[in-house]
Structures are given as C-alpha cells and as structure tokens.
Amino acid sequence: MDTKQITADLIFDAKAQLGEGAIWNHMERKLYWVDIEGRLFNVFDPVTNQNRTYNTLKRIGTVVPLETGHVLVALEDGIATIDLTDGAITYKIDTDIHLMHNKRFNDGKCDHEGRFWVGTHSMSGVREVSELYCINEDFTMEEKITGVSISNGIAWNTDGSLMYYIDTPTGQVVQYDFDRQTGTITNKKVIITIPEEQGYPDGMTIDNEGMLWIALWDGFCVARFNPQTGQMIHKVAVPAPKVSSCAFGGGDLDILYITTARAEMTEDELELYPSSGGVFAVKTGSKGVPAHYFK
C-alpha cells in the first residue's frame, strides 16, 4: 500500500445525523448529498460554501440527478422526484417495503444507460432479507439481488461491462459481468475482502483509472482499492469514524468529497470527533468520472 497518507479537510460542518449518498452534478457543479435520519436532501455549492436543504419528511437513502432540473430520490417508502425550484415531492413508485422487516431504501446510483439501481435494508437489523432493485425509465422495478443485509455502494467500470456492489456486513465487494443493453448481471465474484478491524465498506465511487474508492464506516477513512488484485493501494484519513460515502467532484473531477455521520456515536466520541456528520474534501491526485443521470 502507498505509505503516503493524506487527510481530508472539513468543508461544511453539517452535524448530519447520517450523511450519505454523495454524488457530483457535473452540469450544475454542485455536490448532492443526503442526511438519511435528518430527512434532508442537500445541495452544496463549493464556490459559495452554501448548502441548500430540502426537507423530505421521510428518511432519504440516496439521490441521483435528472436532466430536467429535478432529482430522483429513494425515500424510505418509495421512489420520488424533487423539484429543485420549490421542493415539491412527487412519488413515482409507492411501495410497502417498510411493512416487511421494517425495511427502507438505502444507497443507489445510475448505470450508463440511465437505469437507477437502489437497494434496501432492515432498520430492525434483520439480516439477509433485503434486495437490490433496478428501476427503469418507465418506473418499473426489477428485483436483481436478494438475501442482502445492508445494500450500499455500487459502481460500474468505464465501459459498463462490470458492476461492483457492496452488502456492508459481508465486508466484501463483489463484481458482476454487466450487460449494458439489458441490465442483466451474471458471474458473481468476490474481488475485495475488508477485515472488520479496518471498518465496514459503505459508499463507493470509481476513478478514471478504474480503481474503487470505498468509504469505511468505523474505519476513519476512504480507501482506494485495485479491483483486479483486491489490494488497498491508498488511504485518505478522515477525522470522523463514521465515514459513509464519497464522490469525485470539482471542475476537473479531482476533488474527493466525503460524507460522515454522527449516528451510533456516544457523547464522549462526539467530543473526541466533533466534525462527525460533516462534509470533507481532499485532492487525492486521482480524477473521477462523470456521474450517470436517470433517463
């Protein structure tokens, strides 16, 4: 592993309960992120350091941009759009997933063709009862993976022939062969295994060299992994234990933005790590790739 250690800087002291879902809107040049338990969708402008919030009333798992001045969000009980001018929420898929094992939607992203992949997890902590879904342009919802515990990070390689996926409690990143035209996934293979003492893999993004950047919950860092060898090759230290998601942004996609949480922390821990729940940023020397929008 690269011995050079860099540390991310706090850029917005949000005090989020459960910061998550970082994604860079390269058209607007703004960072989208959510506070799941705070029930807030956030738009952070790094030029002005202003953070605009939209109250979603329900827990919000993740967000992806639309090409129309709206965003698509995964709320605890469905998929909805938010109008960025007035904050109006319009449900596109209303589900009853929360009635079974107290589940809610969690992390997700769009593939190259603009399909929205989003997973669930049980707020009651029931293992292996959740799913990963694919939501198509017409808002039909396909179940893709079952027996999931906490559906989290997802990414695709440059040409969209491989999908990478994290079910957090497994401590693993798995790879699937991916058919861009049909969205079919096959040939599951474990490519990265992270020991518990290093933290739990949460959100994930990919850089333009095909390396995976993984937020490590309870790991105080975002780590860069080579998906071909499974090796950790670089680490960005974060002065907060609950590191939850990451996304490359900025004009050159060379700034790594990182979300964190205050959830599951004691008063003593919060005193030790007062920046917990903040948004951090760092130049890593790597560059990301533009996020895919929902079509």
Side-chain angles (χ1 to χ4, degrees):
M1 192 184 83
D2 190 338
T3 53
K4 184 179 63 171
Q5 172 117 326
I6 56 174
T7 302
D9 297 314
L10 180 70
I11 57 163
F12 179 55
D13 191 12
K15 300 273 191 287
Q17 293 178 56
L18 186 46
E20 257 286 7
I23 188 168
W24 179 258
N25 184 331
H26 54 271
M27 304 289 282
E28 285 189 10
R29 299 201 168 191
K30 288 174 183 167
L31 179 74
Y32 291 175
W33 65 285
V34 305
D35 180 354
I36 297 176
E37 291 297 333
R39 295 159 172 79
L40 293 174
F41 161 55
N42 299 270
V43 178
F44 179 75
D45 183 343
V47 175
T48 63
N49 284 323
Q50 295 299 304
N51 188 72
R52 184 172 179 190
T53 60
Y54 298 81
N55 192 332
T56 56
L57 306 175
K58 305 274 181 74
R59 290 179 184 87
I60 173 170
T62 196
V63 56
V64 290
L66 288 167
E67 292 167 341
T68 57
H70 295 65
V71 295
L72 190 68
V73 295
L75 300 179
E76 64 186 72
D77 57 353
I79 307 300
T81 59
I82 298 178
D83 186 325
L84 296 183
T85 55
D86 59 8
I89 295 169
T90 305
Y91 272 81
K92 298 295 186 180
I93 300 175
D94 204 349
T95 74
D96 56 4
I97 62 160
H98 55 289
L99 301 178
M100 186 73 73
H101 303 298
N102 194 25
K103 286 190 286 190
R104 65 165 174 80
F105 282 109
N106 199 42
D107 206 357
K109 286 200 179 85
C110 290
D111 65 22
H112 289 65
E113 307 304 318
R115 292 171 290 236
F116 181 36
W117 293 68
V118 62
T120 59
H121 95 100
S122 164
M123 289 185 283
S124 301
V126 185
R127 296 287 177 95
E128 298 179 10
V129 295
S130 294
E131 306 83 16
L132 177 70
Y133 294 99
C134 175
I135 291 159
N136 299 301
E137 182 183 10
D138 60 358
F139 292 104
T140 52
M141 193 162 84
E142 295 177 57
E143 193 176 75
K144 292 292 189 176
I145 304 174
T146 58
V148 174
S149 293
I150 303 176
S151 188
N152 255 316
I154 190 166
W156 288 264
N157 68 342
T158 309
D159 66 6
S161 63
L162 297 172
M163 184 180 96
Y164 306 107
Y165 176 64
I166 291 169
D167 177 4
T168 293
T170 66
Q172 297 173 337
V173 181
V174 293
Q175 171 187 292
Y176 292 90
D177 291 339
F178 189 79
D179 186 320
R180 277 182 63 165
Q181 298 316 117
T182 63
T184 303
I185 54 173
T186 50
N187 301 325
K188 176 183 177 181
K189 182 168 89 169
V190 176
I191 56 165
I192 296 166
T193 300
I194 298 165
E196 267 186 42
E197 61 269 18
Q198 290 181 12
Y200 297 91
D202 197 328
M204 172 169 61
T205 193
I206 193 164
D207 66 27
N208 65 1
E209 296 177 332
M211 302 295 115
L212 297 172
W213 294 76
I214 301 171
L216 296 179
W217 183 268
D218 281 339
F220 290 90
C221 73
V222 173
R224 186 187 195 218
F225 288 84
N226 184 329
Q228 284 160 341
T229 65
Q231 295 302 303
M232 184 192 293
I233 49 179
H234 196 60
K235 192 194 273 191
V236 173
V238 182
K242 311 292 184 183
V243 184
S244 53
S245 77
C246 54
F248 282 99
D252 293 325
L253 295 178
D254 63 346
I255 299 169
L256 187 70
Y257 291 97
I258 301 165
T259 59
T260 62
R262 296 170 76 78
E264 299 177 17
M265 291 179 68
T266 65
E267 287 303 316
D268 287 349
E269 287 171 327
L270 288 169
E271 217 168 287
L272 269 177
Y273 308 108
S275 302
S276 292
V279 178
F280 295 79
V282 66
K283 285 201 173 189
T284 64
S286 298
K287 291 188 178 185
V289 294
H292 304 300
Y293 289 44
F294 182 74
K295 292 173 185 159

